[in-house]
Amino acid sequence: MIQLDAAHFSNLTSAVQRTGSLTGGAVRGLPNDVVIDGLHGVQSYGSAIAEAQKEFQLGRARTALERVRQLETSFSSSVGQWNGTVNSIISGAKQGRQAVPAAKLNEVRNAQTRMQVLVGPATKAFRDLISALEFEISLEGHQGGEDKDADNLAADDGIPTIPEPFTKGYHVVTQLHLERGGDNKARVVPQFEPKQFYLLVGDESARVVRVDELNQSSLAVYDFELEDNTTLEGKQLIAQLRRGVWAISREH
């Protein structure tokens, strides 16, 4: 969970480059010789993403994040321009300002749908990589604190008390820690698991949550104290790990 690796960069490269051409081909024969095809300039993103990956591998996560954010902004701008062109053709045909045959107008609408299918994964890949980089930077911040030389980055103040109604039938299994590996990166050990119950230590008491979904930079949980679904984001999750997170299990 929340582990940045080479796949984040390669997934982004593949997803972005797929938007460079429309599946089924370009739409031609439109007014003013407009051609609706893939996004322009995205083929050059591969080298820029590779540079961001190199920065990360050299330990410069903040520089990598800045580069990826710049690429995301550029990509969003390209998508906006593409949509603007397509919407202009569609609205012009509807208002009678441009003579576009019905069959050709359907091609334009289909192209818009096809592009949405291509842009969605690319947008998600950008967000996944940015979230993972932000999480890495958060870990670096905690690694640079007073306990920088400690192998265990989580506090251990003793086993907390399990609250009602979990007092009977549940017991504490193990505490989760942020541990630094041989590559000097911090990881959650043991990893969070879906459907597992966890005890989160607070300032005054502890509460129990159930992990429903593991995401790249967050946990979707059900909080039994709040009686509602909630999300633990990257920075919030790190802070909680330092306060204390314990896996609990039913007694057999």
Side-chain angles (χ1 to χ4, degrees):
M1 188 207 73
I2 318 178
Q3 188 65 52
L4 193 153
D5 54 32
H8 282 88
F9 293 95
S10 61
N11 288 344
L12 176 58
T13 300
S14 299
V16 168
Q17 290 184 342
R18 279 195 290 270
T19 66
S21 60
L22 279 175
T23 52
V27 180
R28 305 179 187 277
L30 295 169
N32 302 318
D33 295 325
V34 172
V35 176
I36 297 178
D37 201 352
L39 300 182
H40 295 297
V42 294
Q43 298 305 324
S44 65
Y45 279 43
S47 59
I49 294 170
E51 285 297 319
Q53 182 176 6
K54 183 177 179 180
E55 292 288 352
F56 173 72
Q57 291 170 339
L58 292 173
R60 297 193 284 263
R62 293 182 184 276
T63 302
L65 176 59
E66 182 179 350
R67 292 197 176 197
V68 174
R69 280 176 170 163
Q70 289 173 349
L71 287 173
E72 183 189 34
T73 299
S74 175
F75 181 76
S76 297
S77 176
S78 295
V79 173
Q81 291 174 4
W82 192 95
N83 285 329
T85 299
V86 171
N87 290 333
S88 176
I89 294 172
I90 294 174
S91 63
K94 285 183 176 180
Q95 297 170 12
R97 290 184 284 104
Q98 293 179 329
V100 182
K104 188 62 65 175
L105 192 59
N106 283 335
E107 287 185 42
V108 173
R109 291 194 176 100
N110 288 336
Q112 191 174 40
T113 300
R114 282 180 278 151
M115 180 56 74
Q116 289 172 349
V117 172
L118 295 172
V119 167
T123 301
K124 182 179 184 302
F126 267 116
R127 296 315 308 162
D128 286 347
L129 178 53
I130 287 173
S131 295
L133 283 168
E134 289 175 339
F135 188 77
E136 288 288 338
I137 292 170
S138 297
L139 289 178
E140 289 176 3
H142 286 286
Q143 287 175 326
E146 295 179 356
D147 56 350
K148 181 177 180 180
D149 296 327
D151 290 331
N152 182 353
L153 301 181
D156 185 354
D157 297 324
I159 299 176
T161 301
I162 299 177
E164 295 287 353
F166 298 92
T167 305
K168 295 182 179 180
Y170 282 83
H171 67 281
V172 173
V173 178
T174 185
Q175 184 178 11
L176 279 65
H177 300 272
L178 285 173
E179 292 186 0
R180 191 178 296 111
D183 56 1
N184 204 35
K185 294 186 181 300
R187 294 174 174 83
V188 179
V189 179
Q191 293 185 348
F192 284 99
E193 296 181 7
K195 307 307 178 185
Q196 173 68 48
F197 286 62
Y198 293 93
L199 186 62
L200 308 185
V201 177
D203 294 333
E204 298 181 358
S205 61
R207 70 186 196 276
V208 174
V209 301
R210 181 190 64 233
V211 172
D212 290 333
E213 185 178 354
L214 301 176
N215 299 310
Q216 286 291 341
S217 58
S218 64
L219 292 177
V221 304
Y222 180 82
D223 190 319
F224 289 92
E225 182 176 86
L226 299 176
E227 297 184 344
D228 198 5
N229 296 303
T230 187
T231 301
L232 296 176
E233 301 289 348
K235 293 181 180 179
Q236 178 187 10
L237 183 56
I238 294 172
Q240 181 60 63
L241 284 163
R242 293 179 64 81
R243 283 196 298 269
V245 176
W246 298 74
I248 64 174
S249 180
R250 285 184 179 275
E251 296 177 346
H252 298 292

mmCIF file of all heavy atoms in Angstrom, residues 155-173:
data_model
loop_
_atom_site.group_PDB
_atom_site.id
_atom_site.type_symbol
_atom_site.label_atom_id
_atom_site.label_comp_id
_atom_site.label_asym_id
_atom_site.label_seq_id
_atom_site.Cartn_x
_atom_site.Cartn_y
_atom_site.Cartn_z
ATOM 1 N N ALA A 155 5.980 5.358 17.663
ATOM 2 C CA ALA A 155 6.095 5.326 19.115
ATOM 3 C C ALA A 155 5.424 4.077 19.664
ATOM 4 O O ALA A 155 4.442 3.589 19.122
ATOM 5 C CB ALA A 155 5.438 6.569 19.704
ATOM 6 N N ASP A 156 5.954 3.554 20.754
ATOM 7 C CA ASP A 156 5.381 2.374 21.394
ATOM 8 C C ASP A 156 5.200 2.683 22.870
ATOM 9 O O ASP A 156 6.136 2.629 23.648
ATOM 10 C CB ASP A 156 6.311 1.174 21.202
ATOM 11 C CG ASP A 156 5.697 -0.115 21.738
ATOM 12 O OD1 ASP A 156 4.623 -0.031 22.356
ATOM 13 O OD2 ASP A 156 6.299 -1.179 21.542
ATOM 14 N N ASP A 157 3.994 3.070 23.235
ATOM 15 C CA ASP A 157 3.717 3.470 24.613
ATOM 16 C C ASP A 157 2.957 2.394 25.370
ATOM 17 O O ASP A 157 2.244 2.674 26.320
ATOM 18 C CB ASP A 157 2.910 4.774 24.621
ATOM 19 C CG ASP A 157 3.694 5.922 24.001
ATOM 20 O OD1 ASP A 157 4.918 5.952 24.194
ATOM 21 O OD2 ASP A 157 3.081 6.756 23.324
ATOM 22 N N GLY A 158 3.078 1.129 24.942
ATOM 23 C CA GLY A 158 2.347 0.061 25.591
ATOM 24 C C GLY A 158 1.078 -0.266 24.836
ATOM 25 O O GLY A 158 0.603 0.497 24.006
ATOM 26 N N ILE A 159 0.513 -1.434 25.146
ATOM 27 C CA ILE A 159 -0.689 -1.881 24.445
ATOM 28 C C ILE A 159 -1.895 -1.084 24.929
ATOM 29 O O ILE A 159 -2.168 -1.029 26.128
ATOM 30 C CB ILE A 159 -0.913 -3.379 24.686
ATOM 31 C CG1 ILE A 159 0.284 -4.175 24.148
ATOM 32 C CG2 ILE A 159 -2.195 -3.845 24.016
ATOM 33 C CD1 ILE A 159 0.203 -5.656 24.421
ATOM 34 N N PRO A 160 -2.635 -0.445 24.018
ATOM 35 C CA PRO A 160 -3.793 0.359 24.425
ATOM 36 C C PRO A 160 -4.984 -0.521 24.799
ATOM 37 O O PRO A 160 -5.026 -1.713 24.493
ATOM 38 C CB PRO A 160 -4.099 1.187 23.172
ATOM 39 C CG PRO A 160 -3.625 0.320 22.049
ATOM 40 C CD PRO A 160 -2.405 -0.392 22.563
ATOM 41 N N THR A 161 -5.952 0.090 25.444
ATOM 42 C CA THR A 161 -7.173 -0.614 25.846
ATOM 43 C C THR A 161 -8.166 -0.627 24.697
ATOM 44 O O THR A 161 -8.435 0.404 24.087
ATOM 45 C CB THR A 161 -7.815 0.073 27.064
ATOM 46 O OG1 THR A 161 -6.872 0.089 28.138
ATOM 47 C CG2 THR A 161 -9.072 -0.664 27.488
ATOM 48 N N ILE A 162 -8.707 -1.799 24.413
ATOM 49 C CA ILE A 162 -9.709 -1.917 23.351
ATOM 50 C C ILE A 162 -11.034 -1.365 23.869
ATOM 51 O O ILE A 162 -11.489 -1.744 24.948
ATOM 52 C CB ILE A 162 -9.874 -3.385 22.920
ATOM 53 C CG1 ILE A 162 -8.546 -3.927 22.385
ATOM 54 C CG2 ILE A 162 -10.960 -3.514 21.857
ATOM 55 C CD1 ILE A 162 -8.599 -5.395 22.005
ATOM 56 N N PRO A 163 -11.678 -0.463 23.130
ATOM 57 C CA PRO A 163 -12.932 0.143 23.601
ATOM 58 C C PRO A 163 -14.137 -0.771 23.385
ATOM 59 O O PRO A 163 -14.070 -1.754 22.638
ATOM 60 C CB PRO A 163 -13.040 1.404 22.738
ATOM 61 C CG PRO A 163 -12.386 1.004 21.446
ATOM 62 C CD PRO A 163 -11.251 0.098 21.826
ATOM 63 N N GLU A 164 -15.226 -0.428 24.042
ATOM 64 C CA GLU A 164 -16.494 -1.116 23.804
ATOM 65 C C GLU A 164 -16.971 -0.815 22.382
ATOM 66 O O GLU A 164 -16.694 0.268 21.855
ATOM 67 C CB GLU A 164 -17.552 -0.632 24.815
ATOM 68 C CG GLU A 164 -17.243 -0.990 26.257
ATOM 69 C CD GLU A 164 -17.448 -2.470 26.543
ATOM 70 O OE1 GLU A 164 -17.960 -3.195 25.659
ATOM 71 O OE2 GLU A 164 -17.090 -2.893 27.645
ATOM 72 N N PRO A 165 -17.675 -1.722 21.724
ATOM 73 C CA PRO A 165 -18.119 -3.046 22.196
ATOM 74 C C PRO A 165 -17.135 -4.161 21.854
ATOM 75 O O PRO A 165 -17.521 -5.322 21.767
ATOM 76 C CB PRO A 165 -19.423 -3.227 21.422
ATOM 77 C CG PRO A 165 -19.139 -2.566 20.101
ATOM 78 C CD PRO A 165 -18.256 -1.387 20.407
ATOM 79 N N PHE A 166 -15.858 -3.804 21.632
ATOM 80 C CA PHE A 166 -14.869 -4.794 21.213
ATOM 81 C C PHE A 166 -14.053 -5.336 22.380
ATOM 82 O O PHE A 166 -13.139 -6.132 22.182
ATOM 83 C CB PHE A 166 -13.924 -4.169 20.175
ATOM 84 C CG PHE A 166 -14.617 -3.730 18.918
ATOM 85 C CD1 PHE A 166 -15.096 -2.434 18.798
ATOM 86 C CD2 PHE A 166 -14.808 -4.599 17.867
ATOM 87 C CE1 PHE A 166 -15.742 -2.013 17.645
ATOM 88 C CE2 PHE A 166 -15.454 -4.196 16.708
ATOM 89 C CZ PHE A 166 -15.928 -2.895 16.599
ATOM 90 N N THR A 167 -14.383 -4.881 23.603
ATOM 91 C CA THR A 167 -13.621 -5.316 24.773
ATOM 92 C C THR A 167 -13.648 -6.831 24.921
ATOM 93 O O THR A 167 -12.634 -7.470 25.212
ATOM 94 C CB THR A 167 -14.181 -4.660 26.045
ATOM 95 O OG1 THR A 167 -14.184 -3.242 25.874
ATOM 96 C CG2 THR A 167 -13.337 -5.022 27.250
ATOM 97 N N LYS A 168 -14.828 -7.399 24.721
ATOM 98 C CA LYS A 168 -14.966 -8.847 24.815
ATOM 99 C C LYS A 168 -14.964 -9.452 23.414
ATOM 100 O O LYS A 168 -15.679 -8.990 22.530
ATOM 101 C CB LYS A 168 -16.265 -9.215 25.532
ATOM 102 C CG LYS A 168 -16.302 -8.777 26.992
ATOM 103 C CD LYS A 168 -17.599 -9.204 27.654
ATOM 104 C CE LYS A 168 -17.631 -8.781 29.119
ATOM 105 N NZ LYS A 168 -18.896 -9.188 29.790
ATOM 106 N N GLY A 169 -14.163 -10.462 23.238
ATOM 107 C CA GLY A 169 -14.138 -11.171 21.963
ATOM 108 C C GLY A 169 -13.026 -10.750 21.032
ATOM 109 O O GLY A 169 -12.817 -11.374 19.989
ATOM 110 N N TYR A 170 -12.297 -9.678 21.380
ATOM 111 C CA TYR A 170 -11.193 -9.226 20.532
ATOM 112 C C TYR A 170 -9.922 -9.081 21.362
ATOM 113 O O TYR A 170 -9.974 -8.772 22.556
ATOM 114 C CB TYR A 170 -11.519 -7.884 19.869
ATOM 115 C CG TYR A 170 -12.455 -7.999 18.690
ATOM 116 C CD1 TYR A 170 -13.830 -8.073 18.883
ATOM 117 C CD2 TYR A 170 -11.972 -8.043 17.388
ATOM 118 C CE1 TYR A 170 -14.700 -8.189 17.805
ATOM 119 C CE2 TYR A 170 -12.831 -8.152 16.304
ATOM 120 C CZ TYR A 170 -14.192 -8.223 16.519
ATOM 121 O OH TYR A 170 -15.045 -8.341 15.454
ATOM 122 N N HIS A 171 -8.783 -9.287 20.720
ATOM 123 C CA HIS A 171 -7.511 -9.084 21.399
ATOM 124 C C HIS A 171 -6.532 -8.400 20.447
ATOM 125 O O HIS A 171 -6.667 -8.484 19.222
ATOM 126 C CB HIS A 171 -6.921 -10.412 21.881
ATOM 127 C CG HIS A 171 -6.497 -11.322 20.762
ATOM 128 N ND1 HIS A 171 -7.388 -12.091 20.037
ATOM 129 C CD2 HIS A 171 -5.271 -11.580 20.233
ATOM 130 C CE1 HIS A 171 -6.747 -12.791 19.124
ATOM 131 N NE2 HIS A 171 -5.450 -12.500 19.211
ATOM 132 N N VAL A 172 -5.564 -7.716 21.025
ATOM 133 C CA VAL A 172 -4.551 -7.015 20.235
ATOM 134 C C VAL A 172 -3.569 -8.024 19.657
ATOM 135 O O VAL A 172 -3.083 -8.911 20.362
ATOM 136 C CB VAL A 172 -3.809 -5.977 21.100
ATOM 137 C CG1 VAL A 172 -2.642 -5.383 20.327
ATOM 138 C CG2 VAL A 172 -4.769 -4.880 21.539
ATOM 139 N N VAL A 173 -3.279 -7.895 18.364
ATOM 140 C CA VAL A 173 -2.370 -8.826 17.694
ATOM 141 C C VAL A 173 -0.966 -8.247 17.594
ATOM 142 O O VAL A 173 -0.004 -8.803 18.118
ATOM 143 C CB VAL A 173 -2.892 -9.182 16.286
ATOM 144 C CG1 VAL A 173 -1.920 -10.124 15.576
ATOM 145 C CG2 VAL A 173 -4.270 -9.818 16.375
#
